Amino acid sequence: MTASTAVVLLTRDLRVHDHPALATTCAAFDRVVPLYVLDPALAGLSANRTRFLHQALADLRVELRERGGDLVVRHGDPVAETIRLAGEVGATAVALSADVSHYARRRERRLRAECDRHRLHLRLFPGLTVVEPGALQPGGGGDHYRVFSPYHRSWAARQWREELAAPDRVALPSGVRVGGLPKPPPGESPDAAVGGERVARQRLTDWLPALHRYDDQHDDMAGDDTSRLSPYLRFGCVSPLTVANSAGDRSGPFVRQLCWRDFYYQVTAAFPDISTAAYRRGATERWRYDDDALAAWTEGRTGMPIVDAGMRQMRAQGWMHNRARLITAGYLTKHLGQDWRSGVAVFFRWLLDGDVANNSGNWQWVAGTGNDTKPYRGFNPVRQAERYDPAGDYVRRWVPELAGVQGKAVHQPWRLPEALRRTLDYPPPLSVPGTDPVWLR
């Protein structure tokens, strides 16, 4: 009897634990070929994420080899390379984790058409979210939830799928060429986290004892007591279901953040233009386009310490504290009046966890064009800084020019005595024509 063979096309699911596509395929077929295709169309989007990706692929190869398999690596168009490999190994089926972005959906459509043409069975699997994007729909009509709170209630009450163990064995066809992994590039952020499933699972294990402090500590910018799992979730180095199950309480503040992640996936599934077009019907967009102001914000030299601290943390680590993301995004859009799309692009370049759904969805929320039920709200950066960095330690860590300024005075250096201000190598706050922010008075 001829052995059955299938290809599992890996995308943003770089793990072996709780991987529905891989686990189900290994159970159903004699031989399974895990494939990752390095697509030139995605090259150059983010040096930080490319480095993280290559580290995660190297780690995944180790995990697969421990189970008797390997990671097959190809370069080129993912659809063409999948079909070519299926022909080389005599596969009859292809498995793929479903995704929601324009790029992912176009890839899926093309792959389905090519599988049909070559008489290959294509099956899509869940796994990138806790609850599949199309699984929950509002009772009053509509194809998705536009407001978070009712979505969260439905999400928390939903019966989740069963978490799956890693396959005991992954059997490759004999003679398949696995291909070499490229050396990880240096990236742009010197202190960026290392990618990989084993790192992700260890990080989750190490952080869980601090879970009970999350509600009190997650907004403490200097304390830096968040899980830092977001890059690993973005690349699927750890399953979001595993993280949610490990945390327990579905209504708790930490699991609620995982629900926000799912929320934006279902929004993006219904509105795939989320990175380029205003989501909220009737949103008014009147933006200023000031390249100098955008550059100052990007480089962390706006003269607003809490904003500059956040931007410098992102450039150094490829990650930014969530509260700092709200403050920096609000400053760019509501104070500088800059187009949120410019902010999306900057974050997408630097952030290890930058993805279409959450990066763009959160930017639109802050800019007032997205899912916020109070679209005209603003973030006073001084008030935010004094509340969430009361001693000024976060600012002094990332803005060393202000290291000698004690206490919360560090948040408003323009109010310091003139003699002291002259000793600081730090710019005055950016001025915006026609505005008089209350925090600068």
Side-chain angles (χ1 to χ4, degrees):
M1 183 176 178
T2 304
S4 59
T5 304
V7 173
V8 178
L9 176 59
L10 301 164
T11 55
R12 298 198 303 118
D13 46 359
L14 306 181
R15 62 182 185 272
V16 296
H17 295 85
D18 191 43
H19 193 307
L22 181 64
T24 305
T25 305
C26 285
F29 289 82
D30 300 312
R31 302 183 303 187
V32 173
V33 187
L35 167 68
Y36 191 89
V37 182
L38 293 162
D39 186 352
L42 301 181
L45 294 179
S46 168
N48 281 344
R49 283 199 304 283
T50 298
R51 176 175 58 184
F52 192 94
L53 165 66
H54 289 182
Q55 292 165 339
L57 291 173
D59 188 73
L60 178 59
R61 170 165 278 179
V62 172
E63 294 271 17
L64 289 168
R65 285 177 173 175
E66 288 179 352
R67 291 162 174 80
D70 210 326
L71 177 65
V72 175
V73 179
R74 296 287 187 267
H75 297 254
D77 172 60
V79 173
E81 293 301 322
T82 300
I83 299 300
R84 181 177 295 114
L85 178 62
E88 292 173 4
V89 300
T92 58
V94 175
L96 174 70
S97 296
D99 205 344
V100 298
S101 70
H102 261 312
Y103 172 89
R105 293 164 77 172
R106 185 168 58 248
R107 178 184 59 205
E108 178 194 324
R109 289 193 300 268
R110 292 177 54 233
L111 183 59
R112 186 172 297 282
E114 286 300 298
C115 283
D116 288 345
R117 192 163 74 87
H118 290 83
R119 298 183 179 179
L120 293 165
H121 175 68
L122 174 66
R123 182 176 174 187
L124 300 183
F125 289 85
L128 296 189
T129 53
V130 178
V131 175
E132 291 181 76
L136 303 176
Q137 294 183 353
D143 59 353
H144 71 291
Y145 282 90
R146 294 177 175 270
V147 178
F148 175 74
S149 293
Y151 176 80
H152 178 246
R153 288 192 293 270
S154 180
W155 183 89
R158 175 80 174 187
Q159 182 175 352
W160 296 348
R161 66 173 178 83
E162 290 295 319
E163 192 174 339
L164 300 175
D168 293 328
R169 180 166 174 76
V170 181
L172 275 182
S174 61
V176 63
R177 177 177 61 86
V178 297
L181 283 171
K183 181 180 179 182
E188 292 187 289
S189 297
D191 302 322
V194 175
E197 179 177 13
R198 289 177 297 177
V199 178
R201 291 176 67 83
Q202 188 62 53
R203 184 178 291 272
L204 175 60
T205 298
D206 292 344
W207 182 76
L208 281 174
L211 175 62
H212 69 283
R213 300 198 304 268
Y214 183 80
D215 196 22
D216 295 328
Q217 298 293 327
H218 74 280
D219 270 327
D220 179 0
M221 299 175 73
D224 195 12
D225 204 19
T226 58
S227 72
R228 295 233 184 181
L229 286 169
S230 56
Y232 301 95
L233 289 165
R234 188 257 183 255
F235 282 95
C237 299
V238 64
S239 155
L241 180 61
T242 295
V243 177
N245 284 339
S246 299
D249 183 5
R250 293 190 180 190
S251 297
F254 178 73
V255 178
R256 187 180 176 89
Q257 296 305 309
L258 294 170
C259 183
W260 267 109
R261 181 178 181 273
D262 277 17
F263 174 77
Y264 280 125
Y265 272 81
Q266 59 100 40
V267 167
T268 303
F271 187 74
D273 292 326
I274 195 166
S275 294
T276 57
Y279 171 84
R280 184 169 60 83
R281 298 188 186 102
T284 301
E285 296 195 86
R286 298 189 183 96
W287 306 113
R288 297 175 59 250
Y289 293 93
D290 182 335
D291 290 343
D292 290 338
L294 179 62
W297 176 82
T298 301
E299 295 164 11
R301 50 180 181 83
T302 66
M304 181 61 64
I306 195 68
V307 172
D308 293 344
M311 298 303 292
R312 294 186 195 186
Q313 180 184 27
M314 180 174 68
R315 292 166 70 95
Q317 297 186 338
W319 187 87
M320 192 195 305
H321 192 284
N322 185 62
R323 178 56 55 175
R325 298 187 195 206
L326 295 174
I327 295 169
T328 56
Y331 183 83
L332 183 73
T333 56
K334 297 295 177 69
H335 174 56
L336 297 183
Q338 299 284 294
D339 195 327
W340 56 270
R341 298 165 187 84
S342 300
V344 166
V346 172
F347 273 28
F348 197 67
R349 169 184 170 180
W350 291 93
L351 287 174
L352 296 173
D353 57 26
D355 73 351
V356 170
N358 285 276
N359 187 31
S360 302
N362 279 298
W363 265 100
Q364 291 224 43
W365 188 92
V366 173
T369 61
N371 296 87
D372 190 1
T373 56
K374 300 177 181 178
Y376 301 107
R377 82 170 80 212
F379 290 91
N380 179 322
V382 172
R383 188 176 300 160
Q384 290 279 309
E386 291 179 344
R387 180 175 181 182
Y388 298 113
D389 183 31
D393 293 335
Y394 178 78
V395 164
R396 279 185 287 272
R397 181 184 307 161
W398 295 108
V399 187
E401 304 97 303
L402 302 177
V405 180
Q406 298 302 307
K408 68 179 185 179
V410 74
H411 297 308
Q412 301 182 79
W414 56 88
R415 294 183 180 274
L416 294 171
E418 179 65 25
L420 178 55
R421 286 205 308 271
R422 285 199 299 265
T423 68
L424 302 175
D425 182 22
Y426 188 68
L430 289 177
S431 60
V432 179
T435 66
D436 181 23
V438 64
W439 59 80
L440 295 181
R441 294 173 190 166

